[in-house]
Amino acid sequence: MTATISLPPTAEAQAEADDRASSSSALRLSLAPTGPAPSLLDGAWWPRSRDLESELPSLTAVLDPLWGRITRVTVNPTHWPVVPRKVSVAGHVVKVGWFLAEQDPHELLLLSYRMGRWNLLVVPPQTTPVSAAWLMAAASDPLGTSTASRLMEEAARLRTVSETDRAVEAVWDSEGGHEARDPAARPRIPTVTAALPHQPIGR
């Protein structure tokens, strides 16, 4: 999945963001558009590992021009085996801190000096593409009211339901279900449709 970045208000900034997205195809990022009512999350980031020292530079390099220079990042150490004190990013240093009880374990907090703060859902690196796509869309919903942990719980529930449905269908297939001549005689297979939140295309 390539980087998905909500577009800034000016055409020039939009072009610059597009150039950064194409040159940073390995970055998996989805940002919510700015709106009158701020949501709990500003988007989602899907890193490829739990190595902050190697993952943070590419993330902040894309966010610096959009949000202002990122000067500090905090995480919950529950899912990060090593939390470095500082990370070098494109000519400057980003300080890294951690909070155990105060910060959602699935959230990354970014601070920009005199500009503001943003919260990103961190999609676990091992997440399947289908679940990751759902999580990134949900976290980028400008009307979202769920915390990072709540979204992770919902994604796990949907995944369990989907796996159960596939198991039921596999049993049905093994018993000749698709070969039944009378459609009315086929057992009803329960289905679940999870509506994806609206994916923003611009600010």
Side-chain angles (χ1 to χ4, degrees):
M1 178 182 294
T2 58
T4 303
I5 302 175
S6 57
L7 302 179
T10 66
E12 181 180 353
Q14 175 179 340
E16 291 176 2
D18 289 341
D19 290 340
R20 284 191 299 275
S22 61
S23 64
S24 303
S25 59
L27 185 68
R28 301 180 293 191
L29 176 69
S30 178
L31 302 180
T34 56
S39 59
L40 292 180
L41 294 168
D42 298 291
W45 174 45
W46 187 16
R48 298 185 181 277
S49 73
R50 288 291 187 180
D51 183 348
L52 280 171
E53 196 160 6
S54 65
E55 297 287 348
L56 280 179
S58 59
L59 174 66
T60 55
V62 168
L63 295 180
D64 277 356
L66 297 176
W67 290 348
R69 177 173 287 189
I70 303 300
T71 55
R72 184 173 176 82
V73 170
T74 67
V75 298
N76 182 312
T78 301
H79 299 297
W80 300 99
V82 177
V83 180
R85 295 181 62 185
K86 297 179 181 179
V87 172
S88 297
V89 178
H92 70 284
V93 173
V94 175
K95 295 180 180 179
V96 183
W98 60 268
F99 296 99
L100 190 59
E102 299 89 345
Q103 186 164 338
D104 189 308
H106 298 287
E107 191 171 282
L108 179 80
L109 171 65
L110 302 106
L111 298 167
S112 178
Y113 182 62
R114 292 184 179 177
M115 294 294 291
R117 56 170 283 176
W118 297 269
N119 300 287
L120 296 180
L121 162 71
V122 179
V123 180
Q126 72 277 13
T127 304
T128 64
V130 171
S131 290
W134 185 90
L135 284 164
M136 295 180 83
S140 301
D141 183 356
L143 302 178
T145 58
S146 294
T147 64
S149 286
R150 283 282 302 277
L151 289 180
M152 290 296 297
E153 291 169 2
E154 180 64 10
R157 186 189 69 80
L158 291 174
R159 186 167 57 250
T160 299
V161 171
S162 176
E163 290 170 355
T164 301
D165 287 347
R166 285 199 299 271
V168 170
E169 187 169 0
V171 171
W172 181 46
D173 288 347
S174 70
E175 295 176 352
H178 282 292
E179 297 176 1
R181 298 192 177 190
D182 182 5
R186 294 182 178 179
R188 183 181 178 87
I189 303 298
T191 59
V192 173
T193 302
L196 290 178
H198 175 68
Q199 181 68 20
I201 58 175
R203 289 186 183 269

